[in-house]
Amino acid sequence: MHKLNDILSVIDSYIGGSQWFVFLLLGTGIFFTIYLKFPQFRYLKHSLRIVRGKFDKEGDKGDTSHFQALTTALSGTVGTGNIAGVALAIHLGGPAALFWMLVTAAVGMTTKFVEVTLSHKYREVAQDGSIAGGPMYYMKNRLNLKWLAVIFAVATVLSSFGTGSLPQVNSISNSLFETFGINHMLTGGVLALLLGFVIIGGIKRIAQVTSRLVPIMAIIYFIGAIAVIFYNYENILPSLEAIFGDVFTGTAATGGFLGGSIAFAFNRGVNRGLFSNEAGQGSAPIAHAAARAHEPVSEGLVALLEPFIDTIIICTLTGLVLLSSGVWTEKHENQFQDADLVVFDGTYSEQNQQDIDKLHNYLVGEADLPLFTGTLTVENGVVANQPTILHARSVAENVKVWVNAQPYSGPLELVNGKIDREKERNPSGLTLTGQSLMHSAPLTTIAFTRSWFGDFGKYIVSIGLLLFAFSTAISWSYYGDRAITYLFGSGKVIYYHIIYVIGFFVASFTDTTIIWTLSGITIALMTIPNLFGILALSKEMKNEVKSFWKEYADRFPGEKVPKG
């Protein structure tokens, strides 16, 4: 299993995890932003009007309203990334990473506008009478590239498990177990039943659920976030200064020597921003294709709001919570994760500037330091002659070694700075704890306790994770549903639903690491064909926009409208 995961990681590093993939995503958004004359700014007011039904016509075809399509797509993008992803981006790239997340979201608004418009235009009516749409339909019907459409559809099915189902319930069950002590299997069983009830009802029931769930979860999260920010009101301006100031000063400080260059912050921010709102991936167009609309551009304008809500609003709230509370630069007691752990062959002090510089250069990839290989002696949980242990990009303090929650005494084998999990001399159940920086959802959880709510704030994060992740699973079930419809017809969808629900239950108590890695590949296999497709149809997109604004002006002659 480890070898397979390593192989998938290598493949992902050449596709979704590569620099060229990021530049393709960002470049496409920048191109359309300029080509369509900054629609994310010029059309924003009209987007809000269309969501409220201003452009609707009697007899418009579709299964959902504009608002329901928006909340369905939002429930697929607003997920654990808004809680954990922002914390990881700031941990790796500093406050400036949040700035670049906002920039990529602004660009992504245009990408989402384009992909939804074109996909809505070429949607079809499925055998069961429901609307079926998404990039695979314009690939087939407009570009006549059926093989490319098949690749996209297969990747969508795989991504529905890798992005929308298995890791989501795993995050939920882990969070509920840590916060409330609820058994993983019980969580999985209850949520699997609820999931099955929702998705078997099709897009109409999914839309009904998400149109209620998304506003509720947004309000809960908003209240918790605002409570933290205003509780630490004296840090609001310094936090904003850190976000924007680091961009212009060329630094990305993350607490002492952990800083990186502006390029480092850019890389982290762009990566998290692009994957947070899924602009260009081709998933949201599947939800929006079901919307009742006679003019594709009107639905594209609705979709334009998604990156704004997902990243510019929700991710900014999370970022300000982390920065204003100050938790991102503090060391916290936690259980160490192997992926974040490295043991050096030697000792380095945070009180020594030369040592700080060495560690800094190591962390940003500009220098190597010797890693420890050999045996450490542990007595009653304490490492004798302990070399420097780095965890979560910080020097770990008060390190203890445990086996099955009991202090460990004996040898500890390491290879190249990592605990050798395959050695017989290292007992199973061995863990390390101590004080270090933290990231992802655990860091956000701590930040939410720094308000008037106190420790109750951690429940807001747990509830937020539950609602965010569960709604993501609901939306992605529909994306996979439409991909199966394209590949095999409506009659086979029921079998997909059964497998989806069973997989959802099993993932609540099993390791999903390999699924996360696979999802990175399938996301790229969705995104790349979609981006090349919309670029090929750029002229058609411009004509669609002109046609839309002409009709809009004819229907509302007294209203000033932007030119296409």
Side-chain angles (χ1 to χ4, degrees), residues 281-298:
Q281 186 176 334
S283 51
I286 300 174
H288 285 283
R292 290 187 292 272
H294 64 282
E295 173 55 67
V297 172
S298 67

Side-chain angles (χ1 to χ4, degrees), residues 11-22:
I11 296 173
D12 182 43
S13 68
Y14 285 104
I15 308 177
S18 64
Q19 284 292 95
W20 69 263
F21 181 71
V22 171

